[in-house]
Amino acid sequence: MPTREVTQARMNLIVAGMMKHAPEQSYTVADRLEERAARQPDHPFLIYEGRTISYGEMNRQANRHAHFALSQGLRRGDVAALLMENRPEFLYLWFGLAKIGCIPALINTQISGEALRHALATTASQKLFVGAECLDRLDSMPDMLASLSTCVVADGEAKGMPASCIALESRLIGQPDGNPDPKLREGIIGQSTLCLVFTSGTTGLPKAARVTQARWLGVGEGWCGFLGLGPDDGFYCVLPLYHVAALMSLLSNALAAGGRVILRRRFSASRFWRDVREHGITVAQYSGEMCRYLFNQPPTADDRAHKLRVMTGSGLSPAIWQAFQDRFGITQMIEGYGGTEINVGMMNIDNRIGSCGRIPFRDRSNARLVQYDRDTDRYIRHPDGTLIECGPGEVGEMLGMILNLPGITGGRFDGYTDAEATEKKILRNAFQPGDAWLRTGDLFRRDEDDYYYFVDRVGDTYRWKSENVSTTEVANVLAEYPDVETVTVYGVPIPGQEGRAGMAAVVMQPGKRFDPVAFHQLAATRLPGYAIPVFVRTRANADITATFKLRKVDLQKLGYAPEPGDDVYVADPGAGRYVAATADNLTRLGIPGGNQESQPS
C-alpha cells in the first residue's frame, strides 16, 4: 500500500493542472479549440463511423454553426437546448454555441413528455436543436413546438419533420467558416456558465446544473498532467455526450492533450475491443455495467492485444475488479467519485480494490464524512447541534465545504438554474456559525487508511443502467394509474448487478384490483426505459408515515422477497407486462431469487 505522502504527491499532479484555470480568467473553451485548430489543423480530432474530422475541420464546422446561431438572433448569455445522440453534429453545435457565448442545455435523449417540457422550461431555452433521431420525443408536445423555435439536424436518410421546424442543414449553406469575432463572448470568464447538464440530484425532477468554463478546462488539464497524455493518445467515447462523464471527463482530456476522440453512438460489448485495437485507443471510460458486460463476453486469444492502458469511471464491482484487469491487461483502472454539481471529488489512483478514492490528509480536503441516520433521515449531532464526523467503518453522508476563493476553482458550488433547488443543497452552520457545506446525498464509509467506499444514495434517487432515476418523477407518472391509492418508488439491489433496480410499492383503492398489463403499459409509454420499475409490490394496506408516505426504509429492506399479504411482480419486457415474481419467472428473466415463494398469477 502506498504511503499517504505518495498518494498525496500523485494527487498533487492533478491539482496542479486544475489550478492552471481560475474563475477570473478570460480564456474559454472556444479559445482552446481555436488554439488547437491553429496549432495542429490537420491532426485528427474526431473519428466517427469511418470519417476522420481534423481539429481544423472541427473548428470550421463549429464556426458555421456559430454564425447560423447568430443569424437566428442568439447572443451571449442566451440558452439553446441540444437534444441529440452522439455524433459530430452534437459537437459542432456545442462548440459553435460556446464561440458566441451561448449556453447549451444538454437534454437526455431518453426523456419525453412532461420531463422534456420541464427540462426546456427550467433552462429558459430560447431555441431547440434536435437530432432527427430524437424527433419522436416531441410527438406529445405540439404546443411546445409552436412556441419554441426548433431546428432539426438531419441524420442519414431524410425523414418527415413538423412544419414549424427549421431544417438546419439547408441553413448552413453559405455560412462563413472563419472564427467569429471574439468580442461576441466578451465578458465570459472562467466562472461563467459553459453549459447546463441535468442531474437528478436527491429530490424532485431533474435539475439543470451549471458547468463553468474553468472547471471544464481544469479537469482536462489535471488529468493530462497526471496521466501524461498527449497528441498520440486516442480516447474512446461511448457514453452519452449529454453527461459530464463523456463531455467533460473525456472530451476535456482529449482537447487538453491534443489527442483524438473515437466516438460511438452507444456502447457495444461485442465491438468494444475491436474498436480499441483498430484505432489504437489508449484511454477509455467505463461504468460498472460496461465492465460487467465486457467481462461476460467469451474470452478470446487477443483479449490483451491492444494499447488501452487506462480506464476511468465509477461503479466497478469489487467482485470482478482484479479479474477484469488481469484478463484484459489494463494497467490502471481509476475508480472515482464526483458529480455534475458536486464540489468534492475523489479518485482511486492506488488501485485499492472497491475504493473510489483516498483522502490521505484531512486538512488538505474540503470533504467531510458525517454521521447520518438513514431511518430518520437526520444528521446525528453533538449536544451543541454541530455535526459529528464518522470514524473508520462508520457509514455517513459526504459533505463538501463550499469555497469561494480568488484564483481557485475547486470547492465552488455553481448550483442550478433553480435558486430554490440550489439553496436546498446547502447545509449551513454545520460545524461552526456561518459555514456552508454542500450535501452530496451520497453515503460512504472509510477505512483506517482513509480509503473511501461508496455505500448508497440518500433521498429520492437511485442509480440504474448508468442513469440516476428520480423516484419523484417516476412516482408522479405511476400515480396516474386508475384507482391507485398510494405509490412509492425506490431502488432495490439485485445480486450481481451494479446500482439498484427500480421498485414501485402500490396500494390500490379498496375493492380495486391491480392490472399488471395496464400498469406496465403506462410505465413503458411515459417513462424512459431505464426508469421503468423492474419490480412492483402491491400491498393490501398502507403502512404510512406521519407525512402520508409508505415507509420506504422498511420496503427497501424487503427487496423483492415475498412478504405475507403482498404480491410481487417483475417486468417482462418481451411480453410487455409485469408477471408474478416466481422462482421460475425470475430465473427465466436472469434475476437471482430462487427462494421466492408462490406469487400471484
Side-chain angles (χ1 to χ4, degrees):
M1 180 186 69
T3 65
R4 294 176 185 271
E5 289 76 13
V6 167
T7 301
Q8 186 65 55
R10 299 182 74 198
M11 291 171 57
N12 288 345
L13 295 174
I14 301 175
V15 174
M18 298 183 71
M19 289 286 288
K20 292 180 180 179
H21 296 280
E24 304 84 2
Q25 70 183 33
S26 59
Y27 186 78
T28 69
V29 171
D31 295 313
R32 169 58 58 83
L33 176 62
E34 292 174 2
E35 181 183 86
R36 282 289 177 200
R39 184 184 303 174
Q40 49 188 72
D42 300 322
H43 189 81
F45 174 64
L46 195 68
I47 297 173
Y48 176 79
E49 295 185 353
R51 298 160 54 194
T52 298
I53 300 163
S54 67
Y55 274 88
E57 179 61 17
M58 174 59 68
N59 190 55
R60 289 189 291 274
Q61 290 285 3
N63 291 338
R64 294 187 184 101
H65 287 73
H67 287 296
F68 168 75
L70 286 171
S71 75
Q72 293 291 296
L74 289 174
R75 295 295 184 269
R76 184 180 64 232
D78 291 342
V79 177
L82 182 52
L83 176 62
M84 193 182 306
E85 293 182 351
N86 284 11
R87 52 192 179 101
E89 293 81 4
F90 185 109
L91 295 177
Y92 297 162
L93 278 162
W94 189 77
F95 281 121
L97 291 168
K99 281 172 171 280
I100 61 173
C102 279
I103 301 170
L106 310 183
I107 310 297
N108 188 322
T109 57
Q110 299 188 59
I111 66 172
S112 59
E114 290 306 310
L116 178 54
R117 187 184 301 274
H118 165 79
L120 296 172
T122 195
T123 56
S125 294
Q126 296 171 251
K127 186 174 287 291
L128 169 63
F129 292 93
V130 57
E133 70 277 11
C134 297
L135 273 174
D136 60 339
R137 300 296 177 189
L138 309 178
D139 287 347
S140 62
M141 303 172 59
D143 58 322
M144 180 66 76
L145 285 178
S147 60
L148 180 63
S149 175
T150 301
C151 296
V152 177
V153 185
D155 180 34
E157 294 183 7
K159 59 166 51 177
M161 68 178 187
S164 60
C165 296
I166 298 170
L168 178 61
E169 191 173 23
S170 63
R171 300 295 185 94
L172 290 174
I173 298 172
Q175 294 292 347
D177 64 4
N179 293 334
D181 188 342
K183 290 182 179 179
L184 291 168
R185 52 183 184 269
E186 198 170 71
I188 301 294
I189 61 173
Q191 193 56 26
S192 299
T193 301
L194 168 64
C195 59
L196 301 173
V197 179
F198 279 87
T199 174
S200 294
T202 55
T203 58
L205 288 166
K207 296 179 283 290
R210 303 180 187 278
V211 175
T212 66
Q213 300 270 349
R215 185 183 176 201
W216 193 93
L217 289 164
V219 165
E221 212 83 62
W223 280 103
C224 279
F226 173 63
L227 295 173
L229 305 176
D232 292 334
D233 281 296
F235 301 79
Y236 194 37
C237 182
V238 294
L239 296 178
L241 286 167
Y242 61 74
H243 273 177
V244 291
L247 187 77
M248 183 163 67
S249 298
L250 185 139
L251 189 66
S252 64
N253 296 355
L255 198 60
R260 64 194 183 281
V261 176
I262 293 80
L263 181 68
R264 287 289 188 184
R265 286 278 179 124
R266 54 190 61 85
F267 167 70
S268 167
S270 61
R271 188 176 59 202
F272 185 93
W273 294 111
R274 186 169 70 247
D275 277 351
V276 166
R277 284 187 286 271
E278 179 182 341
H279 296 289
I281 290 166
T282 56
V283 181
Q285 288 176 306
Y286 70 82
S287 67
E289 293 88 347
M290 278 176 53
C291 291
R292 185 173 293 279
Y293 294 147
L294 292 172
F295 192 72
N296 288 339
Q297 292 287 301
T300 67
D302 54 1
D303 275 346
R304 297 168 66 97
H306 57 76
K307 297 180 180 179
L308 182 60
R309 59 187 176 86
V310 59
M311 295 183 70
T312 64
S314 62
L316 178 57
S317 170
I320 67 167
W321 189 315
Q322 191 62 58
F324 185 92
Q325 282 191 268
D326 292 343
R327 173 178 166 183
F328 297 111
I330 307 298
T331 306
Q332 291 179 289
M333 296 292 295
I334 302 181
E335 178 82 1
Y337 167 72
T340 307
E341 78 278 40
I342 292 176
N343 70 338
V344 296
M346 290 184 287
M347 65 262 339
N348 180 354
I349 56 179
D350 298 334
N351 203 41
R352 173 67 72 97
I353 301 297
S355 171
C356 59
R358 188 185 197 185
I359 302 177
F361 298 102
R362 175 181 175 278
D363 60 351
R364 300 187 192 182
S365 170
N366 69 323
R368 296 291 183 271
L369 191 64
V370 300
Q371 294 185 12
Y372 175 84
D373 188 332
R374 281 182 281 178
D375 291 336
T376 62
D377 191 26
R378 294 179 179 177
Y379 295 104
I380 299 173
R381 299 176 181 267
H382 288 292
D384 64 359
T386 57
L387 300 185
I388 304 173
E389 291 192 51
C390 292
E394 295 180 340
V395 174
E397 183 184 357
M398 182 68 72
L399 303 181
M401 180 188 292
I402 298 175
L403 305 172
N404 290 289
L405 302 175
I408 297 177
T409 300
R412 291 174 179 253
F413 173 44
D414 302 305
Y416 310 102
T417 56
D418 184 332
E420 183 179 353
T422 298
E423 185 59 33
K424 284 182 178 179
K425 288 286 286 188
I426 300 174
L427 182 66
R428 301 185 185 278
N429 307 311
F431 295 99
Q432 60 187 23
D435 64 6
W437 296 76
L438 175 70
R439 286 198 61 175
T440 68
D442 293 318
L443 299 172
F444 288 83
R445 65 176 174 84
R446 67 177 178 89
D447 62 21
E448 294 279 357
D449 300 311
D450 287 310
Y451 287 97
Y452 285 72
Y453 302 82
F454 180 79
V455 175
D456 205 350
R457 291 184 64 84
V458 298
D460 293 324
T461 65
Y462 57 90
R463 193 160 180 82
W464 183 243
K465 303 297 184 186
S466 298
E467 297 279 354
N468 283 336
V469 182
S470 165
T471 58
T472 301
E473 180 182 357
V474 176
N476 285 344
V477 169
L478 300 182
E480 297 179 16
Y481 180 72
D483 304 322
V484 70
E485 183 167 279
T486 62
V487 58
T488 300
V489 177
Y490 49 98
V492 297
I494 296 178
Q497 296 285 327
E498 278 77 31
R500 288 177 176 260
M503 189 164 197
V506 176
V507 178
M508 300 299 295
Q509 295 174 5
K512 302 297 182 179
R513 289 182 59 83
F514 175 78
D515 183 341
V517 177
F519 196 80
H520 187 275
Q521 184 178 13
L522 171 66
T525 302
R526 296 288 307 282
L527 294 170
Y530 63 81
I532 298 172
V534 176
F535 303 104
V536 175
R537 178 184 294 276
T538 62
R539 316 210 80 184
N541 299 297
D543 180 17
I544 59 174
T545 67
T547 55
F548 303 99
K549 296 180 180 179
L550 289 174
R551 297 186 186 279
K552 188 178 292 188
V553 171
D554 294 335
L555 290 167
Q556 287 175 318
K557 291 177 181 177
L558 287 175
Y560 54 95
E563 177 76 357
D566 291 357
D567 290 335
V568 181
Y569 299 84
V570 60
D572 185 339
R577 59 168 293 167
Y578 286 98
V579 297
T582 61
D584 287 345
N585 280 337
L586 291 171
T587 299
R588 177 173 59 83
L589 294 168
I591 299 173
N595 65 338
Q596 301 288 318
E597 303 295 335
S598 61
Q599 290 290 330
S601 60

